Amino acid sequence: MNKNVAILGTQWGDEGKGKIVDSLTLENSYAVRYQGGHNAGHTLVINGEKIVLHLIPSGILHKNVTGIISNGVVISPIALYNEIKMLENKKFFIKDRLFISHSAPLILQYHVEMDIAREKKLGINALGTTGRGIGPAYEDKIARRALRVEDLKDEKKLSIRLEKIVDYYNHQLVSFYKQKSIDYKIILKNLLPSIDLIQGMIKDTTFILHNAIFHNKKIIFEGAQGSFLDIDHGTYPYVTSSNSTIGGLITGTGVGPKYLDYILGVTKAYTTRVGYGPFPTELFDDIDKHFSHKGHEFGSTTGRKRRTGWLDAVALCRSIKINSLSGLCITKLDVLDGLKEIKICIAYKNIKTLEINTSLNDCKNVEPIYEIHPGWVVKTSGIRKMTDLPAEARNYINRIEEITHIPVDMISTGPDRSDIILIRNPFFIKKQII
Ligand code: GDP
Ligand code: IMO
Ligand code: MG
């Protein structure tokens, strides 16, 4: 039986990772966020109630689950405070079972100001970031000047370091970006309630995870963003600033690859993307309206309309390799209900060289080549058994397996925790060699 399962997005984010993590989390296990920050928006629907989590791992709403925000995540103490309070208002009390890494870099006000100022300056070349300060916070980490969670432990030292770093950022904000300067004392004052709340949660999370592994605990690792938003493997520069592919789990937790038993790739039955950048199968017609309306394709973090398109199997095959996926979970199958035909992009035609390519080398100058499958009219929403799906939907899933050469182990048929066809539970199958 598998113990440690990773769940990550294979497209451009918002594949439904949060819902799948929540559906698979077992009691008494560990739930871990390992990269990204509160740019993520993971939606859970539990008995009709919708909860959006940005920083806290989605498995935490199950009983006796220990939540971990590990070193690869960039943490805004204020965003974390707000999220803990939001959950408390909904009667989920998690603060005694949530631990945050002492070495995670912090996101502070100057990161947010820089993120917004840069986007503004880029004008039509903007990336379409979430404006949460993610890029600047990861820059500080790599430049070895970041304030980290451990720095919250000593207010006096924090104040000295804050003054210096705010001075550094004020030079840029005022001289280059023509923005107002910021006051480190106000940052410090605004931080105090969150420091108070999270002080007791600060731990060496790598040690906690190794201890959990030693005691045969089950661990679910929850990716944020999607594979093509990865800083190295994504559609650069239209990417986020972390490794959202599997490598980010290893460096972001200190848990090595031999401990991973199964890696699940979450794939929407079509494709969406928020923010700018290449999107080969993007649609601008009535099908886009269908996906948008039926799939409620509006960002969980910023509320922006998501761009939509057909499933891109060329990109998916690359994602499977980069992440060494064990299996797929196809989400939002129900959103395809009622479509006459459904397309899958199986190759790209390079519009300059007219070459046909079945591997994703360059997704900027390409036109998709589609195969067309018949749609279905019956409703699949809420279906929990493969045999209850219409034949056309089963054929669509089988075709995805044929193209990708990996099994579809789960299918999601609605936003609720229980709207799921569990073909093979990643925790209850034999370990695969990764
Ligand atoms: P994440 O960032 O990958 O966790 O995904 P988001 O939560 O940002 O976006 C996924 C959206 O689709 C959310 O509104 C979910 O409630 C919803 N959702 C997830 N799975 C399904 C599904 O199978 N069917 C439908 N109709 N909605 C789903
Ligand atoms: P989840 O975890 C979809 C996108 C932004 C922008 C780019 C860079 O919910 O799937 P950033 O603020 O990270 O510097 O923005 O990345 N982006 C996401 N798109 N889902 C997300 O997270 C995203 N997190 C960032 O829209 O294009
Ligand atoms: Mg999301």
Side-chain angles (χ1 to χ4, degrees):
M1 215 161 69
N2 290 334
K3 291 192 293 275
N4 305 323
V5 171
I7 298 181
L8 50 80
T10 61
Q11 298 160 313
W12 279 275
D14 302 325
E15 296 89 349
K17 300 173 291 292
K19 178 219 151 137
I20 300 307
V21 168
D22 174 59
S23 297
L24 286 178
T25 301
L26 300 163
E27 277 186 29
N28 291 312
S29 65
Y30 285 68
V32 185
R33 267 287 306 272
Y34 55 84
Q35 47 70 230
H38 64 306
N39 49 347
H42 296 177
T43 315
L44 322 180
V45 181
I46 302 165
N47 302 325
E49 186 176 13
K50 181 172 148 177
I51 298 175
V52 182
L53 295 175
H54 300 283
L55 257 178
I56 295 175
S58 299
I60 198 114
L61 303 187
H62 289 264
K63 263 195 249 159
N64 302 324
V65 166
T66 304
I68 304 271
I69 302 177
S70 63
N71 58 283
V73 178
V74 278
I75 300 181
S76 155
I78 294 176
L80 182 58
Y81 175 94
N82 291 338
E83 204 160 308
I84 292 169
K85 293 289 165 194
M86 177 275 290
L87 286 177
E88 284 178 358
N89 282 336
K90 293 183 187 289
K91 308 272 175 266
F92 290 102
F93 300 99
I94 55 143
K95 70 177 199 289
D96 296 332
R97 51 190 178 93
L98 178 68
F99 300 108
I100 59 178
S101 168
H102 59 100
S103 52
L106 297 177
I107 299 187
L108 296 165
Q109 191 200 337
Y110 44 85
H111 297 122
V112 178
E113 306 279 351
M114 285 294 291
D115 193 358
I116 295 169
R118 277 198 192 136
E119 283 284 274
K120 212 164 137 196
K121 185 134 186 137
L122 281 169
I124 55 160
N125 297 317
L127 306 178
T129 72
T130 59
R132 299 295 189 269
I134 305 294
Y138 276 116
E139 277 170 40
D140 270 3
K141 163 176 160 168
I142 301 299
R144 297 169 292 189
R145 62 170 169 255
L147 287 171
R148 309 204 299 178
V149 167
E150 63 198 352
D151 295 311
L152 299 175
K153 286 182 168 174
D154 184 332
E155 204 183 304
K156 220 171 178 181
K157 277 194 200 149
L158 175 65
S159 169
I160 296 166
R161 291 208 47 206
L162 251 185
E163 184 175 7
K164 282 199 185 124
I165 198 158
V166 167
D167 185 40
Y168 168 81
Y169 275 109
N170 273 339
H171 278 292
Q172 299 181 52
L173 281 170
V174 176
S175 315
F176 190 71
Y177 291 107
K178 313 288 176 222
Q179 302 296 309
K180 280 193 205 135
S181 66
I182 49 186
D183 181 346
Y184 82 94
K185 289 197 200 93
I186 296 178
I187 298 185
L188 192 60
K189 185 172 155 257
N190 291 341
L191 271 179
L192 293 179
S194 46
I195 294 179
D196 254 10
L197 183 72
I198 63 186
Q199 199 69 251
M201 300 176 190
I202 304 173
K203 299 279 180 214
D204 176 348
T205 53
T206 301
F207 179 80
I208 297 180
L209 286 171
H210 283 285
N211 213 21
I213 290 168
F214 181 78
H215 287 103
N216 281 322
K217 294 284 183 192
K218 291 200 162 43
I219 307 177
I220 209 161
F221 295 93
E222 174 179 3
Q225 290 80 54
S227 297
F228 296 108
L229 288 173
D230 183 285
I231 185 76
D232 288 289
H233 299 287
T235 45
Y236 192 90
Y238 299 97
V239 292
T240 190
S241 296
S242 66
N243 283 113
S244 46
T245 54
I246 195 67
L249 187 159
I250 310 298
T251 52
T253 57
V255 172
K258 83 169 176 189
Y259 297 112
L260 289 182
D261 298 314
Y262 182 105
I263 306 169
L264 180 71
V266 185
T267 305
K268 224 175 249 192
Y270 47 102
T271 310
T272 63
R273 160 160 217 176
V274 247
Y276 306 117
F279 183 175
T281 64
E282 185 168 14
L283 295 166
F284 300 95
D285 55 9
D286 284 350
I287 306 289
D288 167 52
K289 287 198 188 96
H290 174 99
F291 288 150
S292 223
H293 178 72
K294 204 169 163 105
H296 303 286
E297 295 298 356
F298 296 89
S300 323
T301 297
T302 56
R304 291 176 290 176
K305 182 192 176 301
R306 293 176 181 148
R307 299 155 66 193
T308 76
W310 295 113
L311 179 67
D312 184 341
V314 181
L316 179 57
C317 287
R318 186 172 178 106
S319 194
I320 289 167
K321 291 190 192 117
I322 293 170
N323 293 301
S324 64
L325 296 185
S326 319
L328 292 175
C329 169
I330 303 294
T331 59
K332 303 192 96 160
L333 186 72
D334 55 299
V335 176
L336 301 182
D337 292 358
L339 290 177
K340 256 206 202 101
E341 48 187 37
I342 296 164
K343 296 186 185 175
I344 304 179
C345 168
I346 44 145
Y348 294 155
K349 182 169 155 188
N350 188 305
I351 50 177
K352 287 186 182 153
T353 62
L354 302 185
E355 247 176 286
I356 306 290
N357 227 328
T358 49
S359 66
L360 182 127
N361 305 322
D362 167 15
C363 80
K364 273 177 224 144
N365 301 303
V366 294
E367 231 168 51
I369 296 176
Y370 291 113
E371 56 178 38
I372 302 177
H373 297 270
W376 52 90
V377 277
V378 294
K379 266 176 64 175
T380 65
S381 40
I383 284 184
R384 293 180 195 180
K385 281 201 296 213
M386 195 67 180
T387 46
D388 290 344
L389 286 179
E392 294 83 356
R394 270 183 278 138
N395 290 341
Y396 182 65
I397 298 291
N398 291 342
R399 184 64 190 137
I400 294 173
E401 287 186 323
E402 264 172 27
I403 298 172
T404 60
H405 303 290
I406 63 166
V408 171
D409 285 333
M410 296 172 70
I411 301 165
S412 174
T413 56
D416 201 274
R417 188 186 256 183
S418 54
D419 297 334
I420 201 123
I421 302 173
L422 201 47
I423 302 161
R424 301 192 313 156
N425 185 323
F427 279 111
F428 298 126
I429 56 182
K430 257 175 102 183
K431 175 167 175 148
Q432 302 186 346
I433 300 186
I434 290 171

